């Protein structure tokens, strides 16, 4: 089922809401990034129209995990926020294969960035 213009507009607004919090591969504000990132990812999961899926996603407690893993982190990648906006571009264009590939690549890059943050904080994964 195709996404509505309203769904895409909301997703774009949440994607663009992540942009101010990463600049020049550095966090401007980690806490605000985590909040904006959470809004984007919840909007993305909500597109499935499945309340149980959204509740399951929320039970993962990703904001708390990210906040703890990124506490004190300064370095990151601009691509994380750029990927959010690019994903919306791909969904608007109806390019689902490219959107799926971007999600997989974004997820892999995110996991690697969290591993680096944990290691930099003296932890192990």
């Amino acid at each position: 089922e195709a996404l509505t213009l309203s769904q895409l507009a909301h997703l774009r607004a949440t994607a663009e809401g992540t942009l101010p919090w990463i600049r020049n591969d550095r966090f401007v504000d980690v806490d605000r990034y985590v909040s904006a990132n959470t809004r984007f990812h919840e909007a993305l999961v909500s597109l499935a129209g499945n309340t149980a899926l959204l509740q399951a996603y929320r039970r993962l407690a990703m904001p708390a995990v990210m906040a703890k893993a990124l506490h004190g982190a300064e370095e990151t990648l601009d691509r994380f926020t750029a990927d959010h906006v690019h994903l919306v571009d791909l969904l608007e264009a109806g390019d689902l294969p490219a959107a799926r590939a971007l999600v997989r690549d974004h997820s892999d890059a995110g996991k690697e960035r969290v591993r680096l943050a944990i290691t930099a904080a003296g932890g192990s994964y």
Side-chain angles (χ1 to χ4, degrees):
E1 180 176 319
L3 299 175
T4 67
L5 292 177
S6 177
Q7 288 172 311
L8 289 167
H10 177 67
L11 189 62
R12 179 167 296 284
T14 60
E16 290 175 352
T18 66
L19 292 172
W21 310 117
I22 294 177
R23 285 277 185 260
N24 300 317
D25 293 327
R26 300 185 74 73
F27 286 109
V28 171
D29 185 314
V30 171
D31 293 332
R32 288 185 177 192
Y33 172 73
V34 170
S35 293
N37 188 62
T38 299
R39 283 189 294 279
F40 170 72
H41 285 91
E42 285 195 4
L44 188 61
V45 172
S46 294
L47 294 176
N50 183 323
T51 305
L53 180 62
L54 182 58
Q55 289 172 345
Y57 175 76
R58 288 177 174 158
R59 280 194 303 273
L60 291 174
M62 291 309 296
V65 171
M66 284 184 67
K68 187 167 187 164
L70 298 175
H71 179 73
E74 294 179 10
E75 293 182 16
T76 189
L77 298 173
D78 292 334
R79 71 147 309 169
F80 291 119
T81 55
D83 282 355
H84 295 161
V85 175
H86 186 53
L87 178 60
V88 178
D89 293 339
L90 292 170
L91 292 172
E92 286 175 341
D95 191 345
L96 296 182
R100 284 186 194 100
L102 177 61
V103 168
R104 281 191 299 276
D105 188 47
H106 180 87
S107 178
D108 289 344
K111 287 184 244 178
E112 179 59 23
R113 182 51 55 183
V114 168
R115 279 193 282 276
L116 291 171
I118 290 169
T119 301
S124 61
Y125 51 91

